[in-house]
Amino acid sequence: MPPVVTYWAEHAWLPHPNGPAVQPEVRIAVGPDGRIAEVVPRSGPCPAGAVRLAGLALPGQANAHSHAFHRALRATVQVGSGTFWTWRDTMYKVAAALDPDRYLALATAVYAEMALAGITAVGEFHYLHHAPDGTPYANPNAMGEALIEAAARAGIRITLLDTCYLSAGFGAEPTRHQRRFSDGDADAWAERAAALKGADHARIGAAVHSVRAVPAEQLGTVAQWADSRRAPLHVHLSEQTAENDACLAAHGVTPTRLLADHGVLGPRTSAVHATHLTEEDVRLLADSSTTVCMCPTTERDLADGIGPARQLASAGCPISLGSDSHAVIDPFEEARALELDERLRTRTRGHWTANELLRAGTADGHASLGWPEAGRLEVGALADFCVLALDTVRTAGAPPRLGAETAVFAAGAADVRHLVVGGRHVVADGVHRLVPETGRALAAAVGALR
Ligand SMILES: [Zn+2]
């Protein structure tokens, strides 16, 4: 089959038997199925008819943990003091202003911001299911479907992680603000979630909000729902020591142990944050091949602490990255934070290689969202990639062969020049072609909630 479109990148970060490496003059042909048909490094000058991409092509970044509506909190939660729990009160007020139309507008703009940052797939951890008083909408999945439509309008892929959220704490009824999150019980959650449909750009997964929000005896229902569909299953885990204390008081075990005992951990599961773990918790996560999704810009924003990412990775957990609360949306900042946090903690350098950190943000992140065929620039993979400019004030002067180090340790979202999803050129020369005035769209969508 002849290629539908051929791109030519000045440089690209490509897989290699000795480990990924930056190659020059890389021709990338995309077939009619939106997959990569050909990758040819050192192919010579840009051929006639090909789309020339100046800079460094990388696989698309996977944003493995997102709550799109938190984007509306930017700056407003940076005044005053407090903790995760006081931040959460502000977050609930914003949630109360959302309905399906407003969420469609907001999420479209947020996902367009993600596209501009190099992100080709988002894992949306979605629990705003019902009207603010808890009444289901006429279409009980109106909010989730708005998110799927938003990703389509922004030109990126989505895994909608429909989230079971039933209680305010161990044995506690949902609070007034949490009523719209709850389906009543896990069986009702499963029935509603089963009506969600994927699409070319969308896959459906499940989430347990946390051990606080799903009673232990109902965890298995969510796990079985995901398992029977071979779908991703995500769960917030031990972000706060208060969760660990409450779980120990209620069940006599850590949250990780509780999840393990109820069949929640496994190779299709992602534990998000995993900040405060015991040695046994690390072993349970690694032995079950559970992915751990780190969200370092949010974890530092919320004063959570530094999770044991290096220890988990060394023990055998794949690592993914997420921008979670969207204090910033910058996958390169998330990646470098893993290394830089570890340097501050240990006062030594060099815990992660740039290649390892890029892998977390690309192949392992996509796999954690149920897109194992994305996240690599190789034949047969989905043609999802981004291109970083190497001539900006942040990136200029670095040797191109150290493109991975430049991407992780110097570049940022503002250096992303192109984004291609399924072969489609979504961001060209730094402009989103589907949501061209992304800043204006964000301002309007956030402003509508005030
Ligand atoms: Zn979260």
Side-chain angles (χ1 to χ4, degrees):
M1 271 186 302
V4 169
V5 57
T6 299
Y7 293 94
W8 179 93
E10 268 183 337
H11 303 277
W13 184 74
L14 300 180
H16 187 275
N18 300 330
V22 173
Q23 302 280 355
E25 299 177 336
V26 180
R27 196 171 74 229
I28 304 169
V30 182
D33 55 358
R35 291 178 182 252
I36 297 173
E38 186 184 48
V39 181
V40 184
R42 300 178 189 280
S43 65
C46 182
V51 180
R52 187 178 190 280
L53 304 172
L56 172 69
L58 298 167
Q61 306 293 305
N63 191 357
H65 189 67
S66 162
H67 308 282
F69 74 96
H70 290 189
R71 174 62 179 79
L73 298 167
R74 199 173 287 181
T76 58
V77 284
Q78 303 298 354
V79 179
S81 57
T83 64
F84 169 87
W85 306 103
T86 51
W87 169 88
R88 194 179 68 160
D89 290 339
T90 313
M91 183 266 282
Y92 282 169
K93 287 190 189 114
V94 168
L98 285 162
D99 62 21
D101 288 343
R102 285 171 163 181
Y103 209 6
L104 173 60
L106 177 61
T108 299
V110 174
Y111 295 158
E113 180 184 355
M114 289 184 192
L116 288 165
I119 291 161
T120 50
V122 61
E124 181 64 35
F125 197 107
H126 167 58
Y127 52 82
L128 289 180
H129 302 306
H130 306 300
D133 67 355
T135 310
Y137 290 107
N139 168 5
N141 284 317
M143 292 290 260
E145 289 175 10
L147 292 162
I148 290 172
E149 172 62 20
R153 292 187 185 187
I156 68 171
R157 300 184 198 278
I158 186 171
T159 297
L160 186 74
L161 300 160
D162 194 285
T163 302
C164 186
Y165 193 137
L166 305 172
S167 64
F170 298 89
E173 287 294 305
T175 64
R176 181 167 61 87
H177 289 301
Q178 294 166 339
R179 261 178 230 149
R180 70 184 313 185
F181 309 163
S182 176
D183 292 292
D185 61 34
D187 288 328
W189 166 84
E191 192 180 321
R192 182 185 51 71
L196 284 162
K197 291 190 175 58
D200 279 353
H201 77 294
R203 290 181 181 168
I204 308 298
V208 166
H209 178 275
S210 58
V211 293
R212 286 178 276 129
V214 179
E217 68 276 10
Q218 300 187 56
L219 289 169
T221 304
V222 186
Q224 281 159 20
W225 188 99
D227 198 47
S228 67
R229 291 164 171 77
R230 304 185 69 75
L233 172 61
H234 287 220
V235 53
H236 287 129
L237 176 64
S238 293
E239 181 178 6
Q240 296 291 323
T241 52
E243 174 180 297
N244 291 358
D245 297 343
C247 189
L248 283 163
H251 296 291
V253 295
T254 65
T256 305
R257 178 89 246 176
L258 193 71
L259 294 175
D261 289 350
H262 289 83
V264 175
L265 303 185
R268 282 190 298 278
T269 299
S270 289
V272 182
H273 303 303
T275 311
H276 303 285
L277 301 183
T278 66
E279 295 293 325
E280 192 206 14
D281 293 340
V282 172
R283 190 175 55 71
L284 287 168
L285 291 164
D287 287 355
S288 58
S289 302
T290 298
T291 294
V292 174
C293 179
M294 307 301 293
C295 307
T297 67
T298 291
E299 288 147 9
R300 69 194 186 200
D301 185 64
L302 296 180
D304 291 342
I306 304 170
R310 183 62 263 181
Q311 189 190 353
L312 286 158
S314 298
C317 292
I319 302 292
S320 63
L321 298 167
S323 65
D324 188 4
S325 69
H326 314 310
V328 297
I329 294 177
D330 187 336
F332 307 100
E333 179 66 31
E334 303 295 343
R336 76 175 144 263
L338 285 196
E339 167 66 19
L340 298 184
D341 285 353
E342 206 65 36
R343 290 184 191 181
L344 287 173
R345 172 159 57 193
T346 60
R347 292 186 284 167
T348 58
R349 307 173 81 236
H351 305 275
W352 299 86
T353 66
N355 281 341
E356 287 175 310
L357 293 169
L358 283 180
R359 180 190 164 118
T362 57
D364 288 348
H366 278 95
S368 81
L369 296 177
W371 296 95
E373 71 274 55
R376 287 177 309 283
L377 287 175
E378 64 182 27
V379 171
L382 292 172
D384 295 5
F385 53 95
C386 63
V387 179
L388 274 178
L390 294 178
D391 59 356
T392 72
V393 289
R394 288 165 294 277
T395 58
R401 71 183 167 80
L402 297 180
E405 286 75 9
T406 306
V408 171
F409 290 104
D415 300 311
V416 172
R417 194 165 276 165
H418 300 279
L419 188 88
V420 172
V421 182
R424 181 189 197 189
H425 203 166
V426 174
V427 172
D429 294 317
V431 176
H432 198 298
R433 298 171 102 180
L434 308 174
V435 190
E437 300 208 47
T438 309
R440 205 176 285 228
L442 280 162
V446 173
L449 305 179
R450 299 213 176 98

